[in-house]
Amino acid sequence: MDASNPTPVVALPLDADSVPAQPPVAEQRPHNVTAPHGATRQDEYYWLRDDERADPDMLAYLESENGYTDAVMAPLADSKAALYEEIVGRIKQDDSSVPYKYKDYWYYTRFEEGQEYPIHARRVGSMDAPEEIMLDVNELAEGRDFYQVGNWKVSPNQTLLAYVEDTVGRRQYTLRVKDLGGGETLSVQIPGVSTSLAWAADNTTLFYIENDEETLLTRWVKTHTLGGEAGSDPVVYEE
């Protein structure tokens, strides 16, 4: 920043009577977190992690944080709405990616006007062929507060689609597999994985990375054979 021409400080038009005097402060509770390599560290705020979203202390604290934020930002509600409309107005809502060819198909991702999520599709032979929708993320996200497809991979014979989904926003994904021929989603559900995926050449074996439950970091590279039990998937590499 140029000291001779400093950036002006803009004061928010806050109503002192409507904003709490102090923001909420999270309680510190001692908790040891052990990393995969054995090192231990203190995380006094680990108690705020609640995978089930049910701990009353955690929920009460988040409600107080949200209440404070709402009170501080309330005077800017009109500006926030105007900014949102301007941002949305500058986005090409019916956009699509550049198609790329993999074996027999052209693959691409597109968006439809008024929809929030992408549609992953393909066409056999050329872009003039009929469209085959592999994943309509708008349908998968319907009725959910959060939904994200972190990654997807087509099998070498192009008949199966492996993808990972996050339904809570913690980047802890669940591995799923879809039959592209019949359109059915198979019974495969492997939770707590990362976005890394790879098919073996046999079209039935998947490589994926399972995260550590405590640290949430990637830890085990495993293989899953379709039709097998995920709990017995062998580890091929451990970080």
Side-chain angles (χ1 to χ4, degrees), residues 58-114:
M58 180 275 294
L59 293 174
Y61 176 73
L62 289 185
E63 288 173 359
S64 66
E65 285 276 11
N66 290 337
Y68 181 82
T69 300
D70 291 343
V72 170
M73 299 300 294
L76 301 176
D78 292 342
S79 297
K80 183 171 71 172
L83 282 172
Y84 174 79
E85 293 300 327
E86 181 176 347
I87 291 171
V88 171
R90 293 173 182 267
I91 296 175
K92 189 176 186 298
Q93 295 195 31
D94 56 349
D95 203 2
S96 63
S97 66
V98 176
Y100 67 91
K101 194 170 190 299
Y102 173 63
K103 295 188 175 180
D104 301 325
Y105 288 85
W106 287 90
Y107 291 86
Y108 57 95
T109 297
R110 64 178 179 84
F111 291 83
E112 292 185 347
E113 188 169 355

Side-chain angles (χ1 to χ4, degrees), residues 98-109 120-132 134 152 158:
V98 176
Y100 67 91
K101 194 170 190 299
Y102 173 63
K103 295 188 175 180
D104 301 325
Y105 288 85
W106 287 90
Y107 291 86
Y108 57 95
T109 297
H120 303 294
R122 67 181 184 177
R123 298 174 190 261
V124 63
S126 76
M127 287 299 291
D128 295 325
E131 180 181 73
E132 298 179 24
M134 300 184 297
W152 56 267
Q158 303 174 94

Side-chain angles (χ1 to χ4, degrees), residues 6-63:
T7 302
V9 177
V10 179
L12 299 180
L14 300 180
D15 181 357
D17 295 332
S18 64
V19 179
Q22 295 293 332
V25 178
E27 177 186 353
Q28 297 187 33
R29 302 179 183 179
H31 180 86
N32 288 326
V33 176
T34 302
H37 54 78
T40 301
R41 63 178 175 84
Q42 272 287 322
D43 184 355
E44 293 83 359
Y45 302 104
Y46 188 87
W47 68 272
L48 289 170
R49 171 185 170 180
D50 177 21
D51 296 347
E52 303 300 324
R53 305 295 196 272
D55 178 54
D57 290 344
M58 180 275 294
L59 293 174
Y61 176 73
L62 289 185
E63 288 173 359

